[in-house]
Amino acid sequence: MEEKSMQAELASYTGKLLREHYGKGPASVYVSIKHPFITFYLRDFLTPTERVLRTQGHDQKVEETRDLLMKQVLHELKATITVVADLHVENLYYDWSLENRTGVILGVLSEDKTNKDESFAEYPAKDKLHKEINRVSAQVEKEPEETNSLYLNDRTLVIQRKGILVDIERELIRSGYEQPLRLSKRRLEKDMLDRRLYESILDVHIMDTFVDWDFQLDQSFITLIIQKNKPM
């Protein structure tokens, strides 16, 4: 199957899957693939019930409900990626921008270890961006032991941080507070991430910023959605 046809099929399936579970799917889904990542960018995704909850100031309730439903969504999506695209997904992550009515689902793909070092290609200002990401991480938790990033295309940049959890976070996870920790870290890190500074570093316009964590593997992913046709 050609790449564009495969991406279109995955986008269509994802929209239908979300509609089945939430009662309303996104208006559009954009799929991007470049090893070792696959992303699904969702636009205009907010149900009527969620809209009412937001007007009443219950954003956290919306996120908590979505978290519960996403467990089944991710399970089904992971299987479909394997069938449609012949890609094995190790893990799936997600985040929302309720204000923008957008979201992203990020998959980490299995790949040959011999090609691992070739995956994270260079691009202008990469080191400068990593330095700023590490600085913010040190303020929120600690400086990452390793930082990588990759442009999947001209509109999607994924940043991977490894080794960022501090002892108090590990204890909260062991005590069963993973979801409250995740929700709190999302708000805190997004407040700390300076979009204008990143735009200046990369010479792009950033439309959306998403963050998620894998507490078991002690890593985090930041996904930047960039306005198309801007220079990288």
Side-chain angles (χ1 to χ4, degrees), residues 214-227:
D214 188 319
F215 292 139
Q216 276 63 51
L217 296 178
D218 191 4
Q219 61 181 349
S220 171
F221 298 93
I222 300 170
T223 303
L224 303 181
I225 303 298
I226 295 163
Q227 182 172 314

Side-chain angles (χ1 to χ4, degrees), residues 26-103:
S28 57
V29 180
Y30 298 92
V31 179
S32 303
I33 305 172
K34 187 173 183 179
H35 284 276
F37 301 119
I38 178 171
T39 60
F40 300 78
Y41 179 48
L42 320 173
R43 299 188 65 181
D44 192 16
F45 182 44
L46 193 71
T47 70
T49 300
E50 291 173 337
R51 190 176 293 111
V52 171
L53 288 171
R54 289 208 69 227
T55 61
Q56 298 175 352
H58 297 306
D59 281 16
Q60 183 168 330
K61 182 62 67 177
V62 173
E63 292 193 38
E64 290 173 352
T65 303
R66 284 193 175 189
D67 280 353
L68 293 173
L69 294 174
M70 283 302 289
K71 291 180 181 180
Q72 183 61 30
V73 169
L74 296 184
H75 176 73
E76 295 181 28
L77 180 58
K78 188 174 182 179
T80 298
I81 294 171
T82 301
V83 173
V84 173
D86 193 25
L87 296 170
H88 178 68
V89 179
E90 292 184 348
N91 293 292
L92 286 167
Y93 308 95
Y94 61 90
D95 188 23
W96 319 106
S97 172
L98 298 180
E99 180 179 351
N100 294 338
R101 297 185 300 179
T102 55

Side-chain angles (χ1 to χ4, degrees), residues 59-231:
D59 281 16
Q60 183 168 330
K61 182 62 67 177
V62 173
E63 292 193 38
E64 290 173 352
T65 303
R66 284 193 175 189
D67 280 353
L68 293 173
L69 294 174
M70 283 302 289
K71 291 180 181 180
Q72 183 61 30
V73 169
L74 296 184
H75 176 73
E76 295 181 28
L77 180 58
K78 188 174 182 179
T80 298
I81 294 171
T82 301
V83 173
V84 173
D86 193 25
L87 296 170
H88 178 68
V89 179
E90 292 184 348
N91 293 292
L92 286 167
Y93 308 95
Y94 61 90
D95 188 23
W96 319 106
S97 172
L98 298 180
E99 180 179 351
N100 294 338
R101 297 185 300 179
T102 55
V104 77
I105 301 173
L106 167 70
V108 178
L109 306 172
S110 298
E111 79 173 343
D112 191 332
K113 292 183 179 179
T114 59
N115 297 325
K116 184 177 181 181
D117 293 336
E118 300 175 4
S119 297
F120 297 98
E122 294 299 316
Y123 57 85
K126 182 175 184 178
D127 290 341
K128 190 174 182 180
L129 176 67
H130 287 190
K131 184 177 179 180
E132 176 59 23
I133 290 290
N134 291 345
R135 184 189 68 80
V136 172
S137 298
Q139 290 182 313
V140 178
E141 50 252 318
K142 71 173 187 177
E143 183 171 334
E145 296 173 6
E146 181 182 343
T147 303
N148 296 306
S149 61
L150 177 70
Y151 269 103
L152 277 62
N153 48 42
D154 60 359
R155 66 183 298 160
T156 312
L157 175 63
V158 176
I159 303 159
Q160 179 187 45
R161 297 172 295 166
K162 295 183 178 181
I164 57 173
L165 291 175
V166 296
D167 289 343
I168 184 62
E169 292 174 327
R170 295 179 190 278
E171 186 56 39
L172 286 169
I173 294 164
R174 281 194 293 267
S175 299
Y177 294 99
E178 182 171 321
Q179 187 188 48
L181 177 62
R182 186 184 305 276
L183 295 176
S184 297
K185 284 172 70 67
R186 273 180 184 165
R187 289 190 294 270
L188 180 59
E189 284 213 3
K190 285 185 177 181
D191 287 343
M192 294 290 291
L193 293 172
D194 190 337
R195 178 182 296 189
R196 290 184 179 180
L197 177 57
Y198 297 155
E199 289 179 333
S200 175
I201 292 173
L202 298 169
D203 192 22
V204 299
H205 173 64
I206 298 172
M207 299 169 58
D208 268 312
T209 303
F210 302 100
V211 188
D212 200 7
W213 291 263
D214 188 319
F215 292 139
Q216 276 63 51
L217 296 178
D218 191 4
Q219 61 181 349
S220 171
F221 298 93
I222 300 170
T223 303
L224 303 181
I225 303 298
I226 295 163
Q227 182 172 314
K228 195 172 183 180
N229 298 327
K230 287 287 183 178

